[in-house]
């Protein structure tokens, strides 16, 4: 998507401002400057959906080739990557691409675009997976699962040779936890017990486990019934006031809890993160 000349000038001038040390207080953290950037983007009239579309399209253009098996993510940013795959297949620019969706709604979108679908049962090795994230820390660890598809996302994306993460700058943070709750998918059986055990884990100290209510596709209370994942399970959102000190340790402790199906910490999985912000699109690759 092309920006108007006026918007481009505004973006260029703001990019200069963000490189000027005097623009922010000395105490400003990366997360706070990122939030300010996102607010400025919206104030300038650069729609956040435009940013999501830019990174979604770039991920497909740069990483998806004919003959590949591709993992299709879930969420408002991943939506545009799926859209781009469909466009390029229809135009003939891509051929013989097979895709594995990470949720029912992504499956439905892909089918509507004529994207050929397979499953991990027949194709356990993927060339690339593309998906968004709810939080990205400096080590490229992720929080995912705000849309409730964390289990399917992880099982697909861990099978990919490359996992490309697409976000706008508002998703960047100094540490996971405070900016977005950590989702955990648990079995319905004795779910209150499982929630208590999770809350007592040393790595989860200080968290507040909240059972997701209403729709499973967001972590807002928008109904009176318990939210049900695509797999028929419950979702618990762990709310933190302070950054998680050791995401990898917390990931391990959560998986060891009987009753936990999967969690929304994606540690050490990212190949690269494509970021859309006020100064354009940038790419950060894993070390």
């Amino acid at each position: 998507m092309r920006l108007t000349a006026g918007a481009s000038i505004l973006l260029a001038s703001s990019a200069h401002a963000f490189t000027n040390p005097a623009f922010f207080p000395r105490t400003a953290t990366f997360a706070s400057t990122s939030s300010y950037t996102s607010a400025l983007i919206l104030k300038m009239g650069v729609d956040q959906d435009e940013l999501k579309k830019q990174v979604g399209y770039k991920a497909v253009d740069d990483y998806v080739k004919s003959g590949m098996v591709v993992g299709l993510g879930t969420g408002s940013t991943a939506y545009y990557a799926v859209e781009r795959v469909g466009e390029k297949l229809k135009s003939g620019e891509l051929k013989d691409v097979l895709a594995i969706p990470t949720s029912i709604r992504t499956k439905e979108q892909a089918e509507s675009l004529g994207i050929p679908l397979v499953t991990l049962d027949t194709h356990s090795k993927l060339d690339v997976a593309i998906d968004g994230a709810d939080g990205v820390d400096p080590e490229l660890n992720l929080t995912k699962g705000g849309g409730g598809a964390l289990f399917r996302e992880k099982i697909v994306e861990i099978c990919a040779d490359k996992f490309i993460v697409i976000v706008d700058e508002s998703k960047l943070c100094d540490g996971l936890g405070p900016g977005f709750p950590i989702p955990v998918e648990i079995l319905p059986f004795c779910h209150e017990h499982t929630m208590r055990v999770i809350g007592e884990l040393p790595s989860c100290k200080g968290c507040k486990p909240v059972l997701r209510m209403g729709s499973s596709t967001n972590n807002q209370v928008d109904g009176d019934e318990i939210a049900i994942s695509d797999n028929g399970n419950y979702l618990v959102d762990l709310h933190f006031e302070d950054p998680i000190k050791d995401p990898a340790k917390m990931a391990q402790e959560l998986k060891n809890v009987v009753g936990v199906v999967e969690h929304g910490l994606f540690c050490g999985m990212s190949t690269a993160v494509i970021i859309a912000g006020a100064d354009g699109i940038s790419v950060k690759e894993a070390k």
Side-chain angles (χ1 to χ4, degrees):
M1 176 174 290
R2 295 184 180 277
L3 298 176
T4 64
S8 298
I9 293 171
L10 284 169
L11 286 176
S13 63
S14 65
H16 172 73
F18 288 120
T19 61
N20 182 353
F23 194 75
F24 294 110
R26 290 182 180 272
T27 56
T29 64
F30 183 77
S32 64
T33 58
S34 175
S35 298
Y36 186 92
T37 300
S38 302
L40 183 59
I41 289 169
L42 295 176
K43 186 176 181 180
M44 290 189 308
V46 181
D47 190 275
Q48 199 163 22
D49 282 341
E50 291 183 3
L51 300 180
K52 293 177 179 181
K53 184 171 185 177
Q54 288 175 29
V55 291
Y57 276 38
K58 179 174 175 59
V60 174
D61 292 347
D62 290 356
Y63 291 97
V64 178
K65 310 299 180 187
S66 294
M68 283 188 168
V69 179
V70 181
L72 301 178
T74 297
S76 58
T77 307
Y79 174 92
Y80 290 107
V82 179
E83 180 180 83
R84 186 61 165 168
V85 172
E87 284 185 0
K88 298 186 83 167
L89 282 171
K90 185 176 181 180
S91 69
E93 190 174 349
L94 285 177
K95 299 179 185 296
D96 302 320
V97 169
L98 299 175
I100 299 178
T102 56
S103 67
I104 291 175
R105 57 190 180 280
T106 297
K107 176 178 180 288
E108 292 172 346
Q109 181 194 4
E111 288 175 337
S112 73
L113 296 170
I115 300 173
L117 300 180
V118 293
T119 71
L120 290 177
D121 289 336
T122 57
H123 294 75
S124 294
K125 181 178 174 59
L126 286 72
D127 296 287
V128 65
I130 300 172
D131 205 355
D134 300 306
V136 183
D137 76 7
E139 303 302 318
L140 305 191
N141 296 314
L142 314 174
T143 298
K144 289 177 53 57
L150 56 150
F151 172 77
R152 297 193 185 194
E153 288 171 339
K154 188 172 286 186
I155 197 172
V156 169
E157 289 153 8
I158 204 167
C159 293
D161 290 340
K162 294 181 178 180
F163 175 30
I164 309 304
V165 183
I166 49 178
V167 295
D168 65 80
E169 200 169 33
S170 69
K171 307 300 184 183
L172 305 179
C173 61
D174 294 323
L176 302 178
F180 198 93
I182 309 299
V184 183
E185 184 166 348
I186 67 173
L187 293 173
F189 180 74
C190 294
H191 68 277
E192 292 181 356
H193 162 76
T194 303
M195 289 175 64
R196 283 197 298 272
V197 173
I198 290 172
E200 293 169 357
L201 292 174
S203 60
C204 294
K205 185 178 180 180
C207 83
K208 179 183 178 183
V210 177
L211 188 64
R212 192 175 294 191
M213 304 295 291
S215 172
S216 66
T217 60
N218 66 77
N219 61 2
Q220 305 301 312
V221 178
D222 57 3
D224 298 327
E225 301 294 327
I226 297 174
I228 305 296
S229 73
D230 284 350
N231 310 305
N233 298 315
Y234 291 172
L235 296 161
V236 178
D237 294 303
L238 308 183
H239 294 254
F240 288 84
E241 292 186 0
D242 299 314
I244 298 167
K245 294 181 179 180
D246 191 339
K249 181 179 180 181
M250 179 175 158
Q252 183 69 42
E253 288 189 355
L254 283 170
K255 283 302 293 281
N256 287 339
V257 174
V258 177
V260 169
V261 176
E262 193 50 80
H263 55 77
L265 289 170
F266 286 51
C267 299
M269 291 177 58
S270 308
T271 302
V273 178
I274 303 176
I275 306 157
D279 54 352
I281 294 178
S282 61
V283 180
K284 184 172 182 179
E285 297 183 348
K287 298 178 181 178

Coordinates of all heavy atoms in Angstrom, one line a residue, residues 39-78:
A39 N 1.0 6.1 19.0 CA 0.0 7.2 19.2 C 0.2 8.2 18.1 O -0.7 8.8 17.6 CB 0.2 7.8 20.6
L40 N 1.5 8.5 17.8 CA 1.8 9.6 16.8 C 1.3 9.1 15.4 O 0.8 9.9 14.6 CB 3.3 9.9 16.8 CG 3.7 11.0 15.9 CD1 3.0 12.3 16.2 CD2 5.2 11.2 15.9
I41 N 1.6 7.8 15.2 CA 1.1 7.2 13.9 C -0.4 7.5 13.7 O -0.8 7.9 12.6 CB 1.5 5.7 13.8 CG1 3.0 5.5 13.7 CG2 0.8 5.1 12.6 CD1 3.4 4.1 13.8
L42 N -1.1 7.1 14.7 CA -2.6 7.3 14.6 C -3.0 8.7 14.5 O -3.9 9.1 13.8 CB -3.2 6.6 15.8 CG -3.0 5.1 15.9 CD1 -3.7 4.5 17.2 CD2 -3.6 4.4 14.7
K43 N -2.3 9.6 15.3 CA -2.6 11.0 15.2 C -2.4 11.6 13.9 O -3.1 12.5 13.4 CB -1.8 11.7 16.3 CG -2.1 13.2 16.5 CD -1.3 13.8 17.6 CE -1.7 15.3 17.8 NZ -0.9 15.9 18.9
M44 N -1.3 11.1 13.2 CA -1.0 11.6 11.9 C -1.9 11.1 10.8 O -1.9 11.5 9.7 CB 0.4 11.2 11.5 CG 1.5 11.9 12.3 SD 3.2 11.6 11.6 CE 3.2 9.8 11.5
G45 N -2.8 10.1 11.2 CA -3.7 9.6 10.2 C -3.2 8.4 9.4 O -3.8 8.0 8.4
V46 N -2.0 7.9 9.8 CA -1.5 6.7 9.2 C -2.2 5.5 9.8 O -1.9 5.1 11.0 CB 0.0 6.6 9.3 CG1 0.5 5.3 8.6 CG2 0.7 7.8 8.8
D47 N -3.2 4.9 9.2 CA -4.0 3.9 9.8 C -3.2 2.7 10.2 O -2.3 2.2 9.4 CB -5.1 3.5 8.8 CG -6.1 2.6 9.4 OD1 -5.9 1.4 9.5 OD2 -7.2 3.2 9.9
Q48 N -3.5 2.1 11.4 CA -2.7 1.0 11.8 C -2.9 -0.2 11.0 O -2.0 -1.1 10.8 CB -3.1 0.7 13.3 CG -2.1 -0.2 14.0 CD -2.3 -0.2 15.5 OE1 -3.4 0.1 16.0 NE2 -1.3 -0.5 16.3
D49 N -4.1 -0.3 10.3 CA -4.3 -1.4 9.4 C -3.4 -1.4 8.2 O -3.0 -2.4 7.6 CB -5.8 -1.5 8.9 CG -6.7 -2.0 10.0 OD1 -6.2 -2.8 10.9 OD2 -8.0 -1.8 9.9
E50 N -3.1 -0.1 7.8 CA -2.1 0.0 6.7 C -0.8 -0.6 7.1 O -0.1 -1.2 6.3 CB -2.0 1.5 6.3 CG -3.2 2.1 5.7 CD -2.9 3.6 5.3 OE1 -1.8 4.0 5.5 OE2 -3.9 4.2 4.8
L51 N -0.3 -0.3 8.3 CA 0.9 -0.9 8.8 C 0.9 -2.4 8.8 O 1.8 -3.1 8.4 CB 1.3 -0.4 10.2 CG 1.4 1.2 10.3 CD1 1.7 1.5 11.8 CD2 2.4 1.7 9.4
K52 N -0.2 -3.0 9.3 CA -0.4 -4.4 9.3 C -0.3 -5.0 7.9 O 0.3 -6.1 7.7 CB -1.7 -4.8 10.0 CG -1.7 -4.4 11.5 CD -3.1 -4.8 12.1 CE -3.1 -4.4 13.6 NZ -4.4 -4.8 14.2
K53 N -1.0 -4.3 7.0 CA -1.0 -4.8 5.6 C 0.4 -4.8 5.0 O 0.8 -5.7 4.3 CB -1.9 -3.9 4.8 CG -2.1 -4.5 3.3 CD -3.2 -3.7 2.6 CE -3.4 -4.3 1.2 NZ -4.5 -3.6 0.5
Q54 N 1.2 -3.7 5.3 CA 2.5 -3.6 4.8 C 3.4 -4.7 5.2 O 4.1 -5.4 4.4 CB 3.1 -2.3 5.2 CG 2.6 -1.0 4.5 CD 3.1 0.3 5.1 OE1 4.2 0.3 5.6 NE2 2.3 1.3 5.0
V55 N 3.4 -5.1 6.5 CA 4.3 -6.1 7.0 C 3.7 -7.5 6.6 O 4.5 -8.4 6.3 CB 4.4 -6.1 8.5 CG1 5.2 -4.9 8.9 CG2 3.1 -6.1 9.3
G56 N 2.4 -7.7 6.5 CA 1.9 -8.9 6.0 C 2.3 -9.2 4.6 O 2.7 -10.3 4.2
Y57 N 2.2 -8.2 3.7 CA 2.5 -8.4 2.3 C 4.0 -8.6 2.2 O 4.5 -9.4 1.4 CB 2.1 -7.1 1.5 CG 0.6 -7.2 1.1 CD1 -0.4 -7.7 1.9 CD2 0.2 -6.7 -0.1 CE1 -1.7 -7.8 1.5 CE2 -1.1 -6.7 -0.5 CZ -2.1 -7.3 0.3 OH -3.4 -7.3 -0.1
K58 N 4.8 -7.8 2.9 CA 6.3 -8.0 2.8 C 6.7 -9.4 3.2 O 7.6 -9.9 2.5 CB 7.0 -6.9 3.7 CG 8.5 -7.0 3.6 CD 9.2 -5.9 4.4 CE 10.7 -6.1 4.4 NZ 11.3 -6.1 3.0
A59 N 6.2 -9.9 4.2 CA 6.6 -11.3 4.7 C 6.3 -12.3 3.6 O 7.2 -13.1 3.3 CB 5.8 -11.7 5.9
V60 N 5.2 -12.2 2.9 CA 4.9 -13.1 1.8 C 5.8 -12.9 0.6 O 6.4 -13.8 0.0 CB 3.4 -13.0 1.4 CG1 3.1 -13.9 0.2 CG2 2.5 -13.5 2.6
D61 N 6.0 -11.6 0.3 CA 6.8 -11.3 -0.9 C 8.3 -11.7 -0.7 O 8.9 -12.1 -1.6 CB 6.8 -9.7 -1.1 CG 5.4 -9.3 -1.6 OD1 4.6 -10.1 -2.0 OD2 5.2 -8.0 -1.6
D62 N 8.8 -11.6 0.5 CA 10.2 -11.9 0.8 C 10.5 -13.4 1.1 O 11.6 -13.8 0.9 CB 10.7 -11.1 2.0 CG 10.8 -9.6 1.6 OD1 10.6 -9.2 0.5 OD2 11.1 -8.8 2.6
Y63 N 9.5 -14.1 1.7 CA 9.8 -15.4 2.2 C 9.0 -16.6 1.6 O 9.4 -17.7 1.8 CB 9.5 -15.4 3.7 CG 10.5 -14.6 4.5 CD1 10.2 -13.3 4.9 CD2 11.8 -15.1 4.8 CE1 11.2 -12.5 5.6 CE2 12.7 -14.4 5.5 CZ 12.4 -13.1 5.9 OH 13.3 -12.3 6.6
V64 N 7.9 -16.3 0.8 CA 7.1 -17.4 0.2 C 7.5 -17.5 -1.2 O 7.3 -16.6 -2.0 CB 5.6 -17.1 0.4 CG1 4.8 -18.2 -0.2 CG2 5.3 -17.0 1.9
K65 N 7.9 -18.7 -1.6 CA 8.2 -19.0 -3.0 C 7.3 -20.2 -3.5 O 6.7 -20.9 -2.7 CB 9.7 -19.4 -3.1 CG 10.7 -18.4 -2.5 CD 10.6 -17.0 -3.1 CE 11.6 -16.1 -2.4 NZ 11.4 -14.7 -2.8
S66 N 7.2 -20.3 -4.8 CA 6.5 -21.4 -5.4 C 7.0 -22.8 -4.9 O 8.2 -23.0 -4.7 CB 6.5 -21.4 -6.9 OG 5.9 -20.2 -7.4
G67 N 6.0 -23.7 -4.7 CA 6.4 -25.0 -4.3 C 6.5 -25.2 -2.8 O 6.8 -26.3 -2.3
M68 N 6.3 -24.1 -2.0 CA 6.5 -24.2 -0.6 C 5.3 -24.7 0.2 O 4.2 -24.6 -0.3 CB 6.9 -22.8 0.0 CG 8.3 -22.4 -0.2 SD 8.6 -20.9 0.7 CE 10.4 -20.8 0.5
V69 N 5.5 -25.2 1.4 CA 4.5 -25.5 2.3 C 4.6 -24.4 3.4 O 5.6 -24.2 4.0 CB 4.6 -26.9 3.0 CG1 3.5 -27.1 4.0 CG2 4.7 -28.0 2.0
V70 N 3.4 -23.7 3.6 CA 3.4 -22.5 4.4 C 2.4 -22.5 5.5 O 1.3 -23.0 5.3 CB 3.1 -21.2 3.5 CG1 3.1 -20.0 4.3 CG2 4.0 -21.2 2.3
G71 N 2.9 -22.1 6.7 CA 2.0 -22.0 7.8 C 1.3 -20.6 7.9 O 2.0 -19.6 7.7
L72 N 0.0 -20.6 7.9 CA -0.7 -19.4 7.9 C -1.2 -19.0 9.3 O -2.0 -19.8 9.9 CB -1.9 -19.5 7.0 CG -1.6 -19.8 5.5 CD1 -2.9 -19.9 4.7 CD2 -0.7 -18.7 4.9
G73 N -0.8 -17.9 9.8 CA -1.1 -17.5 11.2 C -2.5 -17.0 11.4 O -3.3 -17.0 10.4
T74 N -2.8 -16.6 12.6 CA -4.2 -16.1 13.0 C -4.1 -14.7 13.6 O -3.2 -14.4 14.3 CB -4.8 -17.1 14.0 OG1 -4.9 -18.4 13.4 CG2 -6.2 -16.6 14.5
G75 N -5.1 -13.9 13.2 CA -5.1 -12.6 13.8 C -5.2 -11.5 12.8 O -5.2 -11.7 11.6
S76 N -5.3 -10.2 13.3 CA -5.6 -9.1 12.4 C -4.4 -8.8 11.5 O -4.6 -8.2 10.4 CB -6.0 -7.9 13.2 OG -4.9 -7.5 14.1
T77 N -3.2 -9.1 11.9 CA -2.0 -8.8 11.1 C -1.8 -10.0 10.1 O -1.5 -9.8 8.9 CB -0.8 -8.6 11.9 OG1 -1.0 -7.6 12.9 CG2 0.4 -8.2 11.1
A78 N -1.9 -11.2 10.7 CA -1.7 -12.4 9.8 C -2.8 -12.5 8.7 O -2.5 -13.1 7.6 CB -1.8 -13.7 10.7

